[in-house]
Amino acid sequence: MARVFSGVQPTGNIHIGNYLGALKQFVELQDENQCIYCIVDMHSITVPQDPKELKDHILDVAALYMAVGIDPEKSIVFVQSDVAQHAELAWVLMCNSYTGELSRMTQFKAKNKGRESAPAGLFTYPILMAADILLYDADIVPVGNDQKQHIELTRDVAIRVNNKYGETFVVPDGRFLKAGARIMALDDPGDKMSKSAENKHSRVSLLDDDNKIKKSIMKATTDSDGIIRFDPENKPGISNLLNIYSAFSGKTIDDIVKDFEGCGYGDFKKELVNIVQTGIAPIRERYEDIRNSDELIRTLKDGAERAGAIAEKTMKRVKDNFGLGL
Ligand code: AMP
Ligand code: TRP
């Protein structure tokens, strides 16, 4: 069994793009691998957070992950700051990485937006991510394409330490989530659906109620030729809706196009509303149950204990190899 590790930031507005592009695959992976899913709260404080909101978002995301099917009996689900070794290993790795390689990270450059001074944590963010992964001897790390550079850095640092201090870390491989299945924003199909877009009708969030789902889909941008056809280049709006329809119904795009031959966009959108509402309702119901139960905290504490036992062993190996401590 391979060991799978991934980290998710505790943010709100998790949408159907996140679900189809990432969460569904996290669930599928847990049948044949030992999966560890971590809510990376220490990464999230590299930008300012409201303490009360952060705590809520940690529990929201944990409940949502379980609502989509991550099973804490099969997988370990825990909160990063509950296992102290993440920060401990990050320090050791920082001493084995270079400011030059960190300044080349495109995510840092984008988030820092050319300011002269940045929080040091924003700069060393990728090293904390490397620590997350290496602490658990992960073989596979499923992430979005935007994380490719961070995975490369993790591999470089792991190989560097192994060469200098002897076999210490498993060198992980990235598993890049289906880029072709990118879900685009409903109000602007030229842009990807995102958590942070100002217009809430640009996305369908997993916790939207039926009314909101209907509004957002009925408002979705299409085109004026009125023909339902899959052509992402010339008809990005309708093609995006066909993608969503296909993902939620399990039907092929060809079959959907045939089913709607001669119909207008309005009829197609109404049926899409139905299909998305039906797909999301059970997730939302399970979420409410899980989010409001005392079980949630117990599950996360238990996850932190199981994760901590693995982390402790790795950290001991690191300290031994580096000559740290007694
Ligand atoms: P985020 O935290 O929003 O960057 O997204 C978490 C994961 O969800 C990413 O690693 C992507 O694989 C996936 N994801 C985000 N947005 C989309 C989208 N619009 N379509 C498909 N997958 C997405
Ligand atoms: N940096 C990742 C993101 O923004 C989140 C993350 C933190 C992560 N630690 C990780 C992903 C470890 C995979 C493995 O999406």
Side-chain angles (χ1 to χ4, degrees):
M1 262 221 235
R3 166 100 29 100
V4 171
F5 183 96
S6 197
V8 282
Q9 297 227 29
T11 46
N13 290 335
I14 293 198
H15 52 69
I16 55 174
N18 297 130
Y19 175 57
L20 300 172
L23 298 191
K24 259 179 105 172
Q25 292 168 74
F26 286 180
V27 174
E28 285 156 16
L29 279 167
Q30 67 182 351
D31 288 329
E32 281 169 21
N33 302 282
Q34 209 228 315
C35 296
I36 305 179
Y37 297 120
C38 176
I39 299 156
V40 292
D41 56 344
M42 295 211 295
H43 277 102
S44 69
I45 60 165
T46 53
V47 296
Q49 299 287 339
D50 176 87
K52 163 102 185 38
E53 265 178 26
L54 179 56
K55 195 145 262 161
D56 279 343
H57 280 157
I58 290 172
L59 296 174
D60 293 347
V61 169
L64 201 47
Y65 269 61
M66 291 176 212
V68 299
I70 288 173
D71 177 357
E73 302 271 315
K74 288 187 195 156
S75 302
I76 298 178
V77 184
F78 75 106
V79 182
Q80 186 186 32
S81 64
D82 284 343
V83 177
Q85 284 85 356
H86 290 250
E88 194 179 3
L89 181 58
W91 176 258
V92 175
L93 298 180
M94 260 184 257
C95 298
N96 286 276
S97 41
Y98 294 93
T99 54
E101 59 191 352
L102 290 175
S103 22
R104 283 194 293 275
M105 296 291 125
T106 54
Q107 189 171 349
F108 169 71
K109 289 197 260 184
K111 284 195 179 172
N112 190 38
K113 296 195 189 82
R115 280 176 298 181
E116 205 166 291
S117 188
L122 197 60
F123 186 63
T124 55
Y125 176 115
I127 297 298
L128 180 58
M129 175 164 166
D132 298 340
I133 297 168
L134 299 180
L135 207 42
Y136 297 97
D137 296 331
D139 304 293
I140 301 169
V141 185
V143 278
N145 267 316
D146 58 330
Q147 298 298 314
K148 225 175 211 162
Q149 222 187 1
H150 293 165
I151 302 291
E152 272 311 307
L153 179 80
T154 303
R155 292 172 53 88
D156 289 348
V157 174
I159 292 168
R160 188 178 298 151
V161 168
N162 287 348
N163 286 339
K164 202 159 162 198
Y165 295 93
E167 277 313 301
T168 310
F169 296 126
V170 171
V171 181
D173 281 309
R175 153 93 72 96
F176 300 99
L177 300 168
K178 290 181 216 153
R182 247 188 8 165
I183 303 298
M184 309 310 281
L186 297 177
D187 61 338
D188 174 10
D191 218 0
K192 72 168 191 172
M193 187 176 284
S194 102
K195 293 170 180 164
S196 53
E198 203 137 303
N199 179 5
K200 65 174 193 228
H201 292 299
S202 67
R203 60 184 162 258
V204 171
S205 294
L206 286 185
L207 300 178
D208 281 350
D209 61 27
D210 283 352
N211 220 340
K212 158 72 176 60
I213 296 173
K214 184 170 170 195
K215 271 212 180 110
S216 303
I217 291 178
M218 294 312 289
K219 273 172 180 282
T221 302
T222 50
D223 53 53
S224 56
D225 81 3
I227 298 164
I228 298 169
R229 183 161 57 83
F230 189 73
D231 179 355
E233 186 107 339
N234 300 305
K235 295 169 69 67
I238 279 295
S239 303
N240 187 40
L241 297 182
L242 280 165
N243 257 333
I244 297 173
Y245 196 116
S246 166
F248 273 95
S249 66
K251 286 188 185 170
T252 65
I253 301 228
D254 281 349
D255 283 345
I256 302 165
V257 169
K258 265 189 216 125
D259 287 350
F260 283 95
E261 220 176 278
C263 294
Y265 292 165
D267 291 333
F268 170 63
K269 279 181 168 179
K270 268 188 214 146
E271 196 44 42
L272 179 61
V273 168
N274 232 331
I275 282 191
V276 174
Q277 284 174 340
T278 312
I280 285 184
I283 296 177
R284 198 173 55 222
E285 279 158 29
R286 276 196 300 272
Y287 169 85
E288 295 297 341
D289 285 346
I290 297 168
R291 181 67 175 83
N292 297 321
S293 79
D294 303 332
E295 193 68 25
L296 179 58
I297 304 259
R298 266 191 305 232
T299 303
L300 292 173
K301 287 218 162 112
D302 175 63
E305 245 170 66
R306 288 156 69 200
I310 303 171
E312 200 180 321
K313 272 198 207 141
T314 309
M315 206 54 224
K316 174 157 189 342
R317 192 167 75 222
V318 171
K319 288 174 86 172
D320 283 348
N321 290 1
F322 276 73
L324 287 164
L326 293 179

